[in-house]
Amino acid sequence: SYVTTPEITTDYILHGDFGSYITKNITRPSSNSIRISLLTTGTPAPVPLTTDSTDIATFYLTIDEPTSNSNLVWVSQSIAPAFLQAPYTNGTWTNLDETPLPVELTTFEGEVVDEGKVQLSWITKTEVKNYGFEVERSNNSGEESWETIGFVSGNGSSNIENSYNFIDNNPVGGNHFRYRLKQIDIDGGFNYSEVIEMEVIPDKYELYQNYPNPFNPETYIKFSLPEKSKIRIEIYDIQGERVEVLVNKEYEAGYHKVSFRSNGKASGVYFCRIIAGDFIQTKKMMLLK
């Protein structure tokens, strides 16, 4: 099985036995037509010659540069039989520019990875004018709560399998999350994927370093709870005096974050302390104005 390299002096483009060929770029052939030759060999014969219809090949032809090749169009196709053999039946030609196929998504799945992050992976079988995918997340059952958390560029038009992935670094606000993809066409049209659900429950209490740090005027404080807990988050200055009780309530198990604003406080070092039952942890923060 092999694929020849197209040459200007010939209109002989492809030759080989059964198989899947990668995309092949070709220039205008000398006779203003393209011939695709298939040689089928083997015992028994790969394509039995019968009166029944048999699909033996599918070809995808794309004009990559329509502006510089304005006269290059796919106008007809014909099947030439082998010498002294029965002719093949002409197949159906579909212009994908006029009747585009949707992006065919074959898989969409997720897994929980390091520190409660969610890695999403999906595969497309075909793509037509695919601009890309917006990744959306919801932490409850209502569609009105969907938010866009990222974007992954598509591969335009493709007839080969393409793999994608995206990592949600901050699935906060609970322990049950729903994800979907908003596939967007180059012309602005869009479709939604199926929804997948992920359960994200940490295995320990943890207070993470605030971000950004240093900060001005606002920073975010993330913490994890392995079970439903009443917590208290307090802010202290460099002298050890408490300047604010940021949180004092019950949270579900999961990853959560709260914001802290300087609100006129002086520049300098501050300490954030979380208390959840017997668990106590402290992080240093820096306010710079």
Side-chain angles (χ1 to χ4, degrees):
S1 170
Y2 62 94
V3 179
T4 62
T5 300
E7 299 177 0
I8 296 177
T9 58
T10 179
D11 59 3
Y12 177 85
I13 303 304
L14 301 176
H15 176 234
D17 59 12
F18 284 96
S20 296
Y21 296 99
I22 62 173
T23 300
K24 171 67 71 171
N25 293 323
I26 58 177
T27 56
R28 180 193 296 276
S30 58
S31 63
N32 282 333
S33 65
I34 293 176
R35 292 180 186 168
I36 301 174
S37 174
L38 293 179
L39 174 63
T40 60
T41 61
T43 303
V47 183
L49 297 178
T50 69
T51 56
D52 297 328
S53 175
T54 302
D55 292 333
I56 63 171
T58 301
F59 301 102
Y60 298 91
L61 307 177
T62 303
I63 301 174
D64 286 333
E65 300 179 16
T67 55
S68 60
N69 298 281
S70 58
N71 294 322
L72 180 58
V73 293
W74 307 114
V75 295
S76 65
Q77 61 176 342
S78 60
I79 307 297
F83 182 66
L84 297 179
Q85 299 294 329
Y88 292 112
T89 301
N90 196 355
T92 301
W93 172 253
T94 301
N95 187 338
L96 297 183
D97 287 331
E98 296 176 357
T99 56
L101 296 172
V103 173
E104 185 176 353
L105 199 67
T106 57
T107 64
F108 178 38
E109 54 193 12
E111 65 173 330
V112 179
V113 292
D114 184 47
E115 290 189 351
K117 300 175 183 179
V118 174
Q119 179 171 293
L120 304 173
S121 304
W122 61 98
I123 297 175
T124 61
K125 183 178 180 181
T126 60
E127 298 182 28
V128 177
K129 297 182 178 179
N130 179 24
Y131 175 68
F133 303 88
E134 286 185 352
V135 182
E136 298 185 351
R137 179 187 68 202
S138 173
N139 62 2
N140 60 42
S141 59
E143 289 192 1
E144 68 277 3
S145 70
W146 289 105
E147 62 173 328
T148 300
I149 59 173
F151 178 81
V152 178
S153 297
N155 278 282
S157 296
S158 172
N159 294 309
I160 62 174
E161 194 172 81
N162 290 291
S163 299
Y164 300 88
N165 64 79
F166 176 85
I167 295 180
D168 180 7
N169 292 309
N170 286 294
V172 294
N175 53 57
H176 187 81
F177 299 92
R178 305 166 74 234
Y179 294 91
R180 70 182 183 185
L181 302 173
K182 182 180 180 181
Q183 182 273 312
I184 304 174
D185 298 331
I186 293 175
D187 59 9
F190 61 88
N191 291 283
Y192 287 105
S193 72
E194 64 177 4
V195 174
I196 62 173
E197 300 187 7
M198 300 295 299
E199 187 176 59
V200 185
I201 299 180
D203 57 6
K204 63 179 180 179
Y205 290 96
E206 185 75 20
L207 174 64
Y208 297 93
Q209 187 64 55
N210 63 301
Y211 61 94
N213 189 44
F215 69 97
N216 179 36
E218 184 178 32
T219 189
Y220 292 93
I221 299 166
K222 179 181 175 181
F223 56 95
S224 64
L225 306 174
E227 58 186 356
K228 187 175 183 179
S229 307
K230 183 176 181 178
I231 70 163
R232 186 179 176 92
I233 296 179
E234 302 172 337
I235 307 298
Y236 292 82
D237 62 18
I238 191 65
Q239 285 78 35
E241 295 184 5
R242 188 175 68 197
V243 297
E244 187 170 339
V245 176
L246 193 61
V247 168
N248 186 22
K249 66 177 186 178
E250 191 172 65
Y251 282 85
E252 295 290 336
Y255 292 86
H256 304 271
K257 72 175 180 180
V258 294
S259 65
F260 170 63
R261 295 186 63 87
S262 59
N263 292 333
K265 295 178 177 62
S267 296
V269 174
Y270 290 83
F271 297 92
C272 174
R273 174 177 295 174
I274 186 172
I275 304 169
D278 295 331
F279 175 79
I280 300 175
Q281 191 173 11
T282 302
K283 295 289 185 181
K284 183 169 69 174
M285 307 186 299
M286 176 68 71
L287 171 60
L288 291 180
K289 292 185 176 181

